[in-house]
Amino acid sequence: MKKRMHMARRRMNHIISELNHALLLAGCREIVLRLIREEAGLRLTIEAAVAPEALPGIERMASLLQPAVRNPALVETYWELAGEDQYTSDSEMALVGQMLDRAQVELAGGQVRMDLYIAF
């Protein structure tokens, strides 16, 4: 259990970094992050105001964060290989989506709200 908790924390740190950077690149001026340690995992909620011209990119991000099929083996093999200079690539965001156990992303009225979860 201790090793799973450690890996979940490392993954969540990576996810926070990637999403924070991607949202800043999309032009978000205010990003509210809330990280909660629950009994069985970590929950991250993010809320941000999105400019109308950034909506297509945020919609693409939402689809990558909520893949139809998650492949844990893919994450174990590749998550540390993604370079820090690739923050804007779809492949990096798709890998972030694979790292999550659950994700719900809602876009409404110029706001994006994400509820992301990693289990221990």
Side-chain angles (χ1 to χ4, degrees):
M1 179 65 138
K2 203 170 214 178
K3 183 177 180 181
R4 289 193 313 232
M5 289 174 74
H6 175 74
M7 289 304 296
R9 286 193 306 264
R10 287 188 64 206
R11 287 182 183 176
M12 187 58 82
N13 284 332
H14 184 77
I15 289 165
I16 290 169
S17 177
E18 293 296 330
L19 292 174
N20 184 51
H21 191 78
L23 290 169
L24 287 171
L25 283 176
C28 296
R29 292 182 181 252
E30 181 178 352
I31 302 167
V32 178
L33 301 162
R34 182 173 182 219
L35 181 60
I36 304 163
R37 181 177 172 190
E38 297 180 350
E39 189 172 319
L42 299 171
R43 179 171 310 281
L44 174 66
T45 58
I46 300 174
E47 294 182 20
V50 179
E53 61 272 9
L55 280 175
I58 299 296
E59 289 170 349
R60 175 77 179 137
M61 180 192 307
S63 69
L64 293 169
L65 291 174
Q66 302 173 98
V69 176
R70 296 190 192 276
N71 183 345
L74 176 75
V75 174
E76 294 301 324
T77 303
Y78 295 106
W79 82 278
E80 290 191 46
L81 298 177
E84 299 229 0
D85 60 340
Q86 299 176 10
Y87 283 110
T88 59
S89 74
D90 280 357
S91 61
E92 180 67 14
M93 197 56 61
L95 186 56
V96 168
Q98 289 292 322
M99 293 168 82
L100 298 165
D101 290 306
R102 287 191 301 268
Q104 182 177 1
V105 182
E106 300 169 3
L107 289 164
Q111 290 281 114
V112 61
R113 184 177 191 293
M114 300 180 194
D115 185 6
L116 313 171
Y117 183 79
I118 294 180
F120 293 141

